[in-house]
Amino acid sequence: MSIALNTPRRNTPRGLPLAALTLTACLLAAPLFAAPMTDTDREHLLVHFEMTTQMVAEQVRGLSPARLEYKASPDRWTIRQVVSHLAVAEPDYWREIQKALKAAPDMKDKKSTSTDADIMWYGIDRVVHTKTGGGHEKVDTYKDLDEALGKFQALRATMIEYIRTTTDDMRAHSFGDYGNVIDCWQWMLEISTHAERHIQQIREIKNDPKFPKN
């Protein structure tokens, strides 16, 4: 995942996706959890992770092999390749955040270069496209959709349980493996907003005029 979070964002988004509206509604009704993570931060992560985990499965459910392997052009990914990418990338992201949280807290001396809203917009705004690297472009690692989806869902269960139960102060630790410094809570959210971008990519594939009818 290579992200330019300093890209100017629209202040008044039009046609905000239903998923984002659902997330907002869920947050307003969120139950409270204990410190050190604030109640809002914990529930925000939890709702977003549960949302994107469910949406990936919903987007690929019942698709025929022809649909899973459809390419709008030679340089585009198939739906199966998108899911394979998530299954390859998220274990790396999870290892990176665990490593960052083991280091000494250091955000008192640093300032995040992105706001929480920037992280949210990364998942919503597909106007700015970024090039995948770091080995995560190996989208044929999983040739079988069920295997890729199973790997993705298994790790998501681990990450969601971590969010539910952790006592880590994620805001106190910095994360800068991809350039600009953000805090670990923001990086955790970005793992989920990264998946949200690819959910939108799947929808774009489905909306292509030549996408197979069955």
Side-chain angles (χ1 to χ4, degrees):
M1 174 166 43
S2 178
I3 303 162
L5 289 173
N6 291 347
T7 303
R9 307 286 174 174
R10 290 191 290 270
N11 292 326
T12 53
R14 293 178 295 172
L16 193 64
L18 177 61
L21 296 175
T22 302
L23 172 61
T24 302
C26 290
L27 289 175
L28 291 175
L32 300 182
F33 291 83
M37 194 187 303
T38 68
D39 301 334
T40 299
D41 276 357
R42 190 185 300 273
E43 192 64 14
H44 195 163
L45 282 180
L46 185 61
V47 169
H48 205 286
F49 264 79
E50 290 178 338
M51 176 186 75
T52 53
T53 303
Q54 179 179 349
M55 289 172 69
V56 168
E58 288 175 349
Q59 286 298 315
V60 302
R61 184 176 295 124
L63 293 183
S64 67
R67 289 182 163 191
L68 289 172
E69 298 300 332
Y70 172 75
K71 277 193 174 188
S73 63
D75 62 333
R76 300 291 182 88
W77 290 356
T78 67
I79 293 175
R80 190 261 309 161
Q81 287 175 326
V82 172
V83 180
S84 179
H85 164 69
L86 292 174
V88 168
E90 290 205 356
D92 285 348
Y93 301 155
W94 176 234
R95 282 190 291 270
E96 289 161 356
I97 200 165
Q98 289 178 299
K99 179 181 176 181
L101 287 167
K102 290 177 181 177
D106 60 350
M107 281 304 290
K108 286 185 178 180
D109 302 319
K110 298 178 181 179
K111 183 178 180 181
S112 177
T113 57
S114 301
T115 66
D116 294 352
D118 289 330
I119 309 296
M120 288 294 293
W121 264 114
Y122 173 66
I124 296 168
D125 186 1
R126 284 272 297 169
V127 174
V128 179
H129 289 252
T130 55
K131 189 173 180 61
T132 301
H136 303 153
E137 73 281 5
K138 297 177 181 178
V139 293
D140 283 319
T141 299
Y142 296 101
K143 298 286 189 180
D144 179 76
L145 173 72
D146 289 341
E147 183 182 8
L149 185 61
K151 295 285 186 180
F152 169 78
Q153 291 175 324
L155 179 56
R156 278 306 184 93
T158 296
M159 290 193 284
I160 287 171
E161 181 63 18
Y162 167 79
I163 294 166
R164 287 184 185 277
T165 61
T166 185
T167 58
D168 291 336
D169 185 354
M170 302 183 77
R171 294 286 194 180
H173 296 261
S174 69
F175 184 88
D177 284 16
Y178 293 91
N180 296 332
V181 172
I182 57 178
D183 65 51
C184 280
W185 183 90
Q186 290 177 313
W187 175 238
M188 193 74 184
L189 177 61
E190 197 163 299
I191 294 173
S192 192
T193 58
H194 166 254
E196 186 179 3
R197 283 181 68 86
H198 287 294
I199 290 164
Q200 293 195 64
Q201 183 182 9
I202 292 172
R203 289 173 174 158
E204 291 167 8
I205 297 170
K206 289 180 173 181
N207 288 333
D208 187 87
K210 295 182 181 180
F211 187 68
K213 299 299 182 184
N214 49 51

